[in-house]
């Protein structure tokens, strides 16, 4: 007796065979996918183990060359190489070698883990953020390696001027925190921009913001504009409104306002047009700095394009500065 399949019309037989083949193919693909995932997990595990072995071998090498063991050996090495990475006397080959060794030191600190936290904190307690910047910045890097959570909190406090007060160290901490926790860095830098200036901190604004008062040694009496660059680098969603707030405040120094104007221009912030026009007509400290005026017309041109023509033409008629006049002519020419 013939089977039901044998008695079925040929198209139905072919359809059933195709369905069976598709099922087998789907099973084979799922099996391949499962094996690929397993291999990927194994590769990740192997990579982690290799990194751990590398860190341990590196630590033992550093300990042997230091003649001691544990965090003390690594701290000794860090103190040795930190000055070499900033000294003008360090030759290029020596600099590259010192840079490689510093990365090895940080890797070795990571292999020790939280047991190195107390020695790092003890060493930081012996240093000052301003006078010992070169060593302190690497100790901050080491702190993050041995205890990521506590290290990040330490970097955050340094940025806000609560620990190891130093403007230069705060700028370094800002770059670190942007990499470690961008959202936390955005909030901290926004707070700085809204409450501080080159004159220090505005106590009323700090109170309204709920901000702790930074150590006086942390105030950037010169170079406050560096905070603007770092804040823009953080890509905070509130950059435009914060920079507009800054350029509207009289306590900020001209270079800080100039940095804000330039940033707003590059961001094509239409809301900044009137404020920048006012700044062009009434520059900070009533000083017609040609560079500042050029930055203003550049920003207006970037934001408005051809829409800035009438203002630029009026500015060209009224300026007494040849440098500014020539730059406006260049913008109006459309080159």
């Amino acid at each position: 007796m013939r089977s039901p399949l044998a008695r079925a019309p040929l198209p139905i037989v072919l359809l059933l065979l195709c369905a069976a083949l598709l099922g087998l193919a789907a099973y084979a693909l799922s099996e391949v996918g499962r094996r690929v995932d397993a291999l990927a997990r194994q590769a990740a595990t192997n990579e982690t183990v290799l990194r751990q072995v590398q860190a341990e071998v590196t630590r033992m090498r550093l300990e042997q060359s230091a003649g001691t063991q544990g965090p003390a050996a690594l701290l000794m090495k860090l103190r040795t190489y930190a000055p070499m990475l900033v000294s003008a006397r360090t030759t290029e080959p020596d600099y590259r070698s010192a840079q490689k060794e510093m990365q090895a030191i940080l890797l070795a600190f990571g292999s020790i883990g939280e047991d190195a936290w107390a020695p790092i904190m003890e060493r930081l307690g012996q240093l000052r953020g301003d006078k010992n910047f070169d060593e302190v910045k690497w100790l901050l890097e080491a702190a993050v390696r041995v205890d990521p959570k506590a290290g990040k909190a330490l970097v955050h406090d340094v940025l806000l001027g609560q620990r190891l007060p130093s403007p230069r160290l705060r700028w370094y901490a800002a770059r670190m925190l942007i990499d470690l926790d961008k959202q936390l860095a955005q909030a901290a830098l926004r707070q700085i921009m809204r409450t501080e200036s080159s004159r220090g901190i505005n106590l009323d604004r700090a109170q309204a913001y709920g901000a702790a008062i930074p150590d006086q040694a942390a105030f950037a009496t010169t170079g406050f504009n560096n905070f603007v660059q770092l804040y823009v680098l953080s890509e905070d969603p509130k950059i435009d409104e914060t920079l507009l707030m800054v350029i509207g405040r009289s306590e900020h120094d001209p270079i800080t306002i100039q940095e804000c104007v330039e940033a707003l221009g590059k961001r094509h912030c239409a809301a900044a047009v009137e404020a920048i026009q006012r700044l062009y007509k009434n520059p900070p400290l009533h000083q017609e700095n040609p560079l500042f005026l050029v930055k203003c017309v550049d920003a207006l041109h970037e934001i408005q394009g051809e829409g800035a023509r009438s203002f630029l033409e009026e500015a060209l008629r009224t300026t007494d500065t040849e440098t500014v006049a020539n730059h406006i002519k260049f913008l109006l020419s459309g080159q």
Side-chain angles (χ1 to χ4, degrees), residues 64-84:
Q64 185 177 15
S65 63
T68 185
Q69 293 184 333
L74 301 184
L75 289 170
M76 182 188 303
K77 287 291 185 178
L78 189 147
R79 285 198 298 272
T80 300
Y81 287 105
M84 295 177 65

Side-chain angles (χ1 to χ4, degrees), residues 222-240:
T222 57
F224 187 83
N225 57 293
N226 288 301
F227 281 120
V228 179
Q229 297 173 9
L230 291 162
Y231 180 50
V232 172
L233 186 65
S234 78
E235 300 179 330
D236 180 36
K238 298 183 179 181
I239 285 179
D240 289 350

Side-chain angles (χ1 to χ4, degrees), residues 5 10-27:
L5 183 59
L10 184 59
I12 296 177
V13 172
L14 293 174
L15 185 62
L16 291 171
L17 288 172
C18 287
L21 289 172
L22 286 173
L24 288 171
Y27 173 78

